[in-house]
Amino acid sequence: MTTTVSTDIQNTRNARRIERDRQRSIAQDERAERKRSRKNGFTNVANPRKSTLLTIVCAVFAIYCLFPFLYILINSTKTQADFTSTFGLGFGKTFALWDNIKTVFTYQDGIFGRWFLNTLFYVIVGAGGATLLAIMGGYALAKFRFPGRKAVFAVIIGAISVPGIALAVPQFLLFAKLGLTNTPWAMIIPSLISPFGLYLMWIFSEQAVPTELLEAARVDGASEARTFFTVALPLLSPGIVTCALFTIVATWNNYFLPLIMLKDANWYPLTIGLNQWKDQASTAGGQAIQNLVITGSMITIIPLVVAFLLLQKYWQSGLAAGAVKE
């Protein structure tokens, strides 16, 4: 019994000595790492040296990005009289945010709500369709070999380099010949094509979906459709969210295309409708409603902010895909 107790005590002492040695080794390694970090700076991304200049640059950039949001938030609380008589970054005499929101949705028989629903419709059908086509096209280009594949790649790269505004007038002439101007189709059909989304999903599919996994599914007897929806699609979720965010923002903020395609105010998206309210004061007998324009702009950006906050983790992982070679 005494021998067993002595052995346990000795084992405990040995374990404590080993643990102390391990902690001492870790501390030495940390000191050496900090010393190397101070010497090499940002070459060690896991433990970089602090940079006052970089902190200042990032702070200035953050202020530059957040300044428009701050301006909108402050001025959406003002009445029209306060908007024209007070400092832009100062609050007015009356806190009128809730009254402004109510007036935005009731002004001109509540047409703002119609514009909001129109924008949602264009985003769901146009951006949703563009994302679906980009997913399917990018997956096919990445995982299937067919004649003319390189030519398709060249066409996609060329389409990305052409700005969308350069195609607006030819699209208008084409849709005018087809009799589709001043209809929702004039917004939806051009929004279905996203060369950048197709390229993004092509590259992401190449990296995220192992060819061996697809071959295993085919050996098990799965059809191409089942392989795509049950095997490949879950692996593509970060890329899908990234592509969807880009197409949603592009469709939500689209201005020039609806400006030349739509004449009926009942089909306006938010961008054109708010611009019409902004220009209202310059028309004969028009009423200045800048407070409603600012409040409507604040309401307009809320869905995009919410979407980015909810999908941020998927968006970041999607942008990082393919950045590291394994």
Side-chain angles (χ1 to χ4, degrees), residues 53-65:
L53 178 60
L54 184 59
T55 302
I56 295 174
V57 171
C58 290
V60 171
F61 184 74
I63 293 173
Y64 173 79
C65 293

Side-chain angles (χ1 to χ4, degrees), residues 174-189:
L174 176 61
F175 278 74
K177 290 290 185 180
L178 297 175
L180 295 178
T181 55
N182 203 29
T183 66
W185 294 109
M187 281 292 298
I188 293 173
I189 294 177

